[in-house]
Amino acid sequence: MRYAVGGRDALDGLERGTEEEIAGFVTAAIGENAQALKDDWRDQIRGARLGDRLANSVRSAVYPRGRSSIEAAALVWTKAPNILDSYARGATIRPVNGARYLWIPTDDVPKKRQGNRLSPAEVEARFGRDLVVIDPKNHRLKTTPSRISRGVAFAGFSGLAVRKASGRWRNATANQMTKGHRSYREVTRQFVVMFTLLPLVTVTKRLDLDALAALADGRYPNLLNKHWR
């Protein structure tokens, strides 16, 4: 999931100048092309509805750093290569380390500061109790406030209430679970789905890296001409 932007061969046929001037032209063209490729890749990720977090994982750098060079090159890469590679190629994701299911978080799973969802173990630690696993035919799914998709099982909690300030789930108090009490909330009797359990997940191809590379290759000569002038 890396792409190198270079192009010394494109110098053939251009006017001669001092090496320092030419190095400045080449480095500027390489830098602009790398920025454009990074933007194109990020736009493609957002267009595939994979979110800003994955889009912002794409980075770029021009080498050598801090100075111009006729041999200048740029590297455009992602900090999430495995995830983006699966969307670029298509993949089937299966449980590892002997696990039976993949635990896919729903929107009701709390987020970490970094923006990603808590793991099942972290959810149990946050609420101080074990997740309850139920099958798709369980009556509690008929009134769940959670958005759920198809799964072989679901894991979550009953007895939760929503914090007014943040809108996040927390363990309900005894009064909130006592019917007839002024603090009682009907939602505390519902089953909040935290995870959907699946034996595997098929990821369809949603990114075209070859098209991005072709755009970068085709753009470089024009950028070099632009800076040369």
Side-chain angles (χ1 to χ4, degrees):
M1 302 299 289
R2 295 184 177 187
Y3 185 73
V5 179
R8 185 185 176 94
D9 292 343
L11 295 176
D12 294 343
L14 293 175
E15 297 179 7
R16 290 177 175 269
T18 66
E19 183 173 340
E20 185 176 350
E21 289 177 325
I22 295 174
F25 303 149
V26 171
T27 303
I30 290 291
E32 186 172 345
N33 201 11
Q35 181 64 46
L37 176 56
K38 180 177 73 174
D39 292 342
D40 288 344
W41 197 355
R42 287 182 171 185
D43 288 343
Q44 191 180 86
I45 292 169
R46 292 189 180 100
R49 302 181 68 180
L50 299 178
D52 287 338
R53 188 162 179 265
L54 275 179
N56 292 335
S57 75
V58 177
R59 306 295 174 85
S60 66
V62 178
Y63 302 95
R65 291 183 179 272
R67 63 185 179 88
S68 299
S69 172
I70 293 179
E71 302 289 348
L75 185 64
V76 182
W77 76 96
T78 171
K79 298 179 71 175
N82 293 334
I83 297 175
L84 290 187
D85 186 63
S86 66
Y87 284 108
R89 302 172 186 270
T92 299
I93 303 173
R94 303 178 185 276
V96 296
N97 300 327
R100 187 175 181 183
Y101 298 117
L102 296 169
W103 290 54
I104 310 301
T106 68
D107 292 341
D108 288 310
V109 175
K111 291 183 178 181
K112 303 177 185 178
R113 289 185 177 181
Q114 299 90 331
N116 51 322
R117 304 281 176 182
L118 298 179
S119 68
E122 290 169 333
V123 168
E124 290 181 333
R126 171 74 62 88
F127 290 92
R129 47 183 167 143
D130 293 340
L131 285 159
V132 177
V133 178
I134 62 175
D135 64 52
K137 296 181 180 179
N138 192 290
H139 69 280
R140 286 181 284 186
L141 290 179
K142 294 181 180 179
T143 59
T144 180
S146 307
R147 293 174 55 189
I148 60 173
S149 55
R150 185 176 300 177
V152 298
F154 301 91
F157 301 114
S158 296
L160 298 182
V162 177
R163 294 182 184 274
K164 293 182 179 179
S166 63
R168 297 175 182 173
W169 294 110
R170 62 172 177 80
N171 288 321
T173 65
N175 288 338
Q176 288 174 323
M177 297 184 66
T178 302
K179 200 164 187 178
H181 195 280
R182 61 186 180 86
S183 298
Y184 173 77
R185 297 290 183 271
E186 184 64 33
V187 71
T188 61
R189 302 182 65 84
Q190 296 178 322
F191 188 81
V192 178
V193 176
M194 295 284 176
F195 296 93
T196 300
L197 278 61
L198 296 169
L200 56 85
V201 172
T202 300
V203 177
T204 58
K205 181 177 178 179
R206 296 164 70 177
L207 302 175
D208 189 346
L209 302 188
D210 289 338
L212 295 178
L215 281 175
D217 288 339
R219 188 164 45 216
Y220 178 70
N222 290 332
L223 288 174
L224 187 57
N225 282 330
K226 166 188 164 183
H227 287 283
W228 200 281
R229 293 193 186 97

